[in-house]
Each structure stands twice: as C-alpha cells, then as structure tokens.
Amino acid sequence: MERDASRSTLHGDDTTDIPLQERSEKDPNSKAKSDDIVRTSEEPAGQDVDVLVVDWEGPNDPQNPKNWTYKKKWAATAIVSAFTFITPVSSSMVAPASGQVTEEFGIHSTVTEALTISVFVLAYAFGPLFLGPLTWNLGCGFAQNTGQLIAFRFLAGLGGSAPLSVSHNADIFRPHNHICRYIQIGGGVLGDCWKTEERGQAIALYSLAPLLGPVVGPIAGAWIGEKSTWRWVFWSTTIVDAAIQGLGLIFLKETYAPVLLERKAVQIRKSMDPEKTDVREVRTVYDGADRHWRHIVAKALVRPFALFAREPIIQLLGLYMAFIYGLLYLFLTSIPGIFQGIYHQPVGIAGLHYIALGVGLTGASQLNARFMDRIYIHLSKRSGGKGRPEYRLPAMLPGTILLPIGLFISGWTARADIHWIATDIGIALVGAGMILNFQSIQTYVIDAFTLHAASALAAVAFFRSLCGFGFPLFAPSMYNTLGYGKGNTILAVVSIVIGCPAPWIFWKYGERIRNSSKYARTS
C-alpha cells in the first residue's frame, strides 16, 4: 500500500532487521553484487546451502531507475504529474458553473453550494486505493438532484486521491516472491528516479500540478458552462481522465527497486540448471522482512498518524501546508463572487481571472525550479559536500512574505472603484507565495523522511485535504459579514503567525529535531 512499508525494515537505521546476507547500505563497498554467492548463516551449521544475492550491478547499473536517461526520467515525471494535475482540474472545474447547478437543483444555501465543490477535496483525505476517478466523475454529469451530485463528487474524489498518495497499490496484495504488474503514482516515483541533488526540478513540476490544476479547471469550466451546460464540465474531464490513464498504462514503467530486482531474480532462477550449480536459493537484498500483507497494511495505516502525532516537522509544516491548501480552495470559490458580483463580469470573462492565480503559481514555480537544486548544491559544498534537508528551505522565506502581502492586496482592492488588475496582482502574489511554500515543504519532507516519505506525505495530505474541504464552506459567510478586505486581513495575519517562523525554526533546529526522531533520516 505504501512505498516505505517494505523499506522501513530493510534500509532503516535499525540494522537488526536487515537479513544476514544483506550488506549495509551505509558501506556500499561491502554490498553484495548480483553475481556474489554468499553463504548465509541463517541455516543450521553443517548444512550446505548457498545463496545467490541479487542486487544492482554497481552504482552505474542501467537497470537502476536512477541511471535512466534524462528523457526517460522526465517522461515518467510528466506522466505522474499529469495524474496529479487532472484530479484537481476535476475538483474545481465546476466552480464557475455552480450558479447553473444551484438554479437547476434549487439550492439556496451558500454552504450547500460550496459543498458541491469542496466535498471532492474531503474525499482526498479518505480515498481508497482501488477506486479510479473515471466512472464516478462521469456519474456527476448525470446527477438529477443535489444529493446525487454531492455523493458522486465525493466518490470521484475518493478515486482522485490515489495519484497523490499511492506508491504501490498492488504491493499489499502480492504474495511473497510472486511477480505481478504494479501501478505506481506519486512522489515515490520521483524518489526512485532522481538523485537527491537532481530531485528539486522534478518535484517542482510534480508539486505544481495539484495547485495549477484547480486554476486551469475553472477557466475551462467557465466557458463550458457558458457555452453549453454544467453537465459537460464533468463529461469533458472524464474524456481527459481516460486519455491520461491510457498514457499511464502504456508508458509508465516500474521504478520500485525491490520489484525490479525480484524480476531479475526470477529470470536468474529460470536460467539456472540445478544440476550444474551449487546455488540452492536466489534472493534479492530486499528479501527477509515480514512482507505479509497484514503486516504491511497495519504499518501503512498507522504510520501516517504516528508521524503526525510524534513529529514536530510534520506538525508545523503540515499545519502550514494545510492552511495554504485551504486558501487555494477558498480563492477558487471566491474569485467568481469578486468578478461577477463586484465587477459585474459575465461567467466566461470572470473565469479568466483564474489566470492571475496561475501566473503566480507557474512563474514562481519555474524560478524556484531553476534555483532549488543550485542552492542545495551550493550550500552542500559550503558544508564540505554534506547535504541537509534544511537546504531546501530558503525558498520558503520569500514565500512566507509574498503570501500575506498578496492577501492584503487582493482583499482591499476588491472594490468597484479600483481597477480589477490590482486585485489580480494580489491574487498572483498569493499564488506565488503558495507554490514557493508548497514546493519547499514537499521537498523538505521527502528529504527528511526519505525512508518513510510516503507516510510523511500522506500525513500532510490528509490534513491539507480537510482544510481544502472546510475553508470554502465558511468563506461566503466570512466575506458577507466582514467584506473581502477584513476577511483577507485575518487570513494574512494567520499566515504570518504560522508560516513566517517555520523556515527559521527548522533552519536552526531542524537537524537536532531529525536526530531525535524515530522516523526522520539524519543527513
């Protein structure tokens, strides 16, 4: 179920769980090569059993995904990013057409109207690994009442959550040493393909997708809703869903090391003649841990909550990321009200203002992608070639400043006597602050919890999805009572209180916190 469920006992710092025939990763020179025959001490004395340990053919083995060509690595990155892009598109595309939905179904409550949009995000927190977004999203287009629409939206969100969290969704059902096809989506693929010093650009693209998707969705949804019907909003995303899933099935290749080495071991077993070799057993360096599905499921379900309960890194950064994600969906549901209600623009034109959010997200993301790895390498060289997850935090500094500034500007300029471009500038600054913080936090968590990255990201994703669901529900009442200026001022103050201290705290105390952590990897 989780990528790190199998790795935690095989590559963790507690070497008591590592099989005797496996060499420690901390000493690469002592690690067994695939053609080594190692006498295992697990067998009783006097019993002549030889074991062939299968591993990579040295650090430059072309079968290791980290040694793939850049073209192949970026192809995998693009496909997994497409999965994380289309789901948020589906989550927000109906926002500009929500007026049509409320009119057809007779919805009079602003909370219920917001619920038709944000319930999709609520399902992100609870999404099972065996549902796909295709069927349920199609059902939304055939809904005949409010209850059916909300139910189908929730089910679509359940399936849509998989690309953000699944690493190996078939792994928990796989009998030991049985080879089956795996479908893997998410940050685990990037961790498999990219080395630490190369990972920044890939994560920049991957983390941009779930934030840019909710921006592109409403732009397209506004024109579809105006020129056709809100039902085609769902049907059109279903068509794109199918195309992306097809590309994934065809072009997305396996990157998980235990699976690739097990396939290699199977080929060796098939090619061996028992009568001509002393080898009695072929294993990979990952064999030996408890791989029973009950054990894996139990650890995978508990660990994300254990991380959130015990890890200060996850608690503070997870809280801030949840706040940012809530702001994103708050803006997605508020932009139509600003430009249709205050500036009296039609649905299609009002939807174009989502471009301002997209400009901020994309522009800051591209700048950050160019400098994130350079800054990491530069700081690593200054510390004697020793990298630290804290070297991913510098981009958070401008992010924590731009976010509240953008909130102030977008709130206090949303007035009929001030040109709409001023509001768009504020929205763009909000987008820039969001993505700089989002990318820094995501990369820091992956680097700090490398062995348990999937669980760490799952813990963060669970709570950010709850905020993405809840923020749009109270936004209409807040803005109706306080107005956009005072409402955004409150949000800006909260972002300062939570966000501004975070990069300074972890820059100074991050290594000490990680060293005392059960799960974090010390650099």
Side-chain angles (χ1 to χ4, degrees):
M1 182 175 181
E2 296 232 0
R3 169 176 305 275
D4 58 7
S6 62
R7 291 183 175 180
S8 57
T9 58
L10 293 172
H11 293 279
D13 290 333
D14 184 3
T15 55
T16 58
D17 289 329
I18 302 178
L20 292 175
Q21 73 271 20
E22 180 188 351
R23 306 316 204 255
S24 170
E25 271 200 336
K26 296 178 181 178
D27 185 2
N29 294 326
S30 69
K31 198 171 182 182
K33 302 296 186 292
S34 64
D35 57 350
D36 288 341
I37 297 179
V38 183
R39 179 84 59 185
T40 176
S41 58
E42 293 178 350
E43 302 298 332
Q47 186 172 345
D48 189 16
V49 177
D50 289 315
V51 177
L52 179 68
V53 179
V54 179
D55 196 357
W56 300 120
E57 299 285 354
N60 299 316
D61 189 341
Q63 295 185 38
N64 187 338
K66 283 187 170 61
N67 296 320
W68 284 355
T69 63
Y70 278 100
K71 181 179 179 180
K72 194 171 182 179
K73 289 181 181 181
W74 278 113
T77 302
I79 291 176
V80 298
S81 298
F83 274 102
T84 59
F85 172 78
I86 190 59
T87 299
V89 167
S90 302
S91 75
S92 62
M93 198 169 176
V94 73
S98 59
Q100 296 180 11
V101 176
T102 58
E103 182 178 349
E104 180 169 334
F105 293 153
I107 300 173
H108 302 291
S109 168
T110 56
V111 173
T112 304
E113 180 181 353
L115 188 63
T116 61
I117 300 170
S118 64
V119 70
F120 189 103
V121 189
L122 173 64
Y124 273 15
F126 303 99
L129 306 181
F130 49 86
L131 291 176
L134 182 63
T135 303
W136 300 116
N137 197 55
L138 181 65
C140 294
F142 293 101
Q144 300 300 312
N145 54 56
T146 307
Q148 289 181 10
L149 179 60
I150 292 175
F152 280 127
R153 287 281 287 168
F154 182 81
L155 291 172
L158 287 177
S161 66
L164 299 177
S165 57
V166 178
S167 294
H168 294 272
N169 59 344
D171 190 47
I172 61 173
F173 303 110
R174 175 175 79 96
H176 187 58
N177 286 337
H178 175 70
I179 298 300
C180 63
R181 187 148 189 246
Y182 289 74
I183 299 175
Q184 53 178 353
I185 306 297
V189 176
L190 306 187
D192 287 341
C193 294
W194 298 94
K195 300 174 183 177
T196 304
E197 64 274 13
E198 303 172 335
R199 196 178 294 154
Q201 292 187 34
I203 293 179
L205 174 63
Y206 176 72
S207 58
L208 174 64
L211 296 182
L212 190 60
V215 175
V216 174
I219 296 173
W223 289 103
I224 292 174
E226 183 174 312
K227 301 298 182 181
S228 181
T229 171
W230 64 268
R231 297 183 186 276
W232 266 105
V233 170
F234 296 108
W235 295 336
S236 60
T237 52
T238 299
I239 294 171
V240 179
D241 281 344
I244 292 176
Q245 290 186 33
L247 290 173
L249 289 172
I250 297 172
F251 296 108
L252 190 58
K253 305 301 181 182
E254 180 62 71
T255 64
Y256 193 38
V259 176
L260 295 174
L261 291 177
E262 179 65 17
R263 291 176 179 174
K264 186 175 180 180
V266 169
Q267 294 299 318
I268 293 174
R269 293 186 194 108
K270 289 181 179 179
S271 63
M272 283 195 321
D273 186 346
E275 297 181 355
K276 296 181 180 180
T277 180
D278 294 331
V279 177
R280 297 292 180 264
E281 184 177 0
V282 178
R283 297 181 183 177
T284 74
V285 293
Y286 294 93
D287 288 339
D290 186 352
R291 299 282 297 160
H292 194 280
W293 70 270
R294 289 191 183 91
H295 175 78
I296 296 173
V297 169
K299 294 188 69 174
L301 292 178
V302 172
R303 188 182 295 123
F305 297 99
L307 283 165
F308 194 86
R310 301 172 184 172
E311 298 293 337
I313 295 173
I314 300 296
Q315 291 165 356
L316 181 55
L317 295 183
L319 178 64
Y320 188 43
M321 183 179 278
F323 176 76
I324 294 171
Y325 207 65
L327 279 182
L328 173 65
Y329 276 85
L330 182 146
F331 266 77
L332 294 176
T333 56
S334 301
I335 286 176
I338 294 174
F339 294 100
Q340 293 178 40
I342 296 177
Y343 294 102
H344 306 291
Q345 296 177 346
V347 174
I349 299 299
L352 293 177
H353 292 277
Y354 286 99
I355 294 176
L357 188 59
V359 167
L361 290 168
T362 306
S365 174
Q366 291 304 307
L367 287 174
N368 196 29
R370 292 178 181 273
F371 292 103
M372 186 184 296
D373 287 334
R374 294 182 185 179
I375 292 172
Y376 183 89
I377 294 172
H378 172 72
L379 293 174
S380 298
K381 288 180 179 178
R382 286 182 55 184
S383 61
K386 183 180 179 182
R388 293 172 53 197
E390 286 73 32
Y391 296 159
R392 301 295 190 182
L393 294 176
M396 274 193 76
L397 298 177
T400 56
I401 296 172
L402 290 175
L403 184 58
I405 291 176
L407 287 169
F408 281 124
I409 294 175
S410 62
W412 289 105
T413 60
R415 293 162 41 186
D417 59 332
I418 299 178
H419 195 275
W420 52 260
I421 193 65
T423 306
D424 276 352
I425 291 173
I427 292 173
L429 292 177
V430 169
M434 284 179 177
I435 193 63
L436 290 176
N437 286 304
F438 200 93
Q439 289 177 341
S440 296
I441 293 172
Q442 188 114 328
T443 314
Y444 180 78
V445 169
I446 290 176
D447 285 0
F449 295 90
T450 303
L451 305 180
H452 306 288
S455 291
L457 292 177
V460 171
F462 178 84
F463 291 98
R464 83 173 187 226
S465 298
L466 292 181
C467 286
F469 163 71
F471 273 46
L473 299 184
F474 71 76
S477 298
M478 180 184 72
Y479 287 135
N480 288 337
T481 304
L482 302 176
Y484 289 102
K486 292 181 180 178
N488 277 16
T489 298
I490 293 174
L491 296 173
V493 170
V494 174
S495 72
I496 292 172
V497 171
I498 299 176
C500 287
W504 300 100
I505 291 173
F506 288 109
W507 182 265
K508 186 171 184 179
Y509 302 107
E511 186 169 12
R512 185 186 306 176
I513 294 172
R514 288 185 290 105
N515 287 338
S516 63
S517 168
K518 177 182 177 182
Y519 296 101
R521 172 182 63 84
T522 55
S523 296

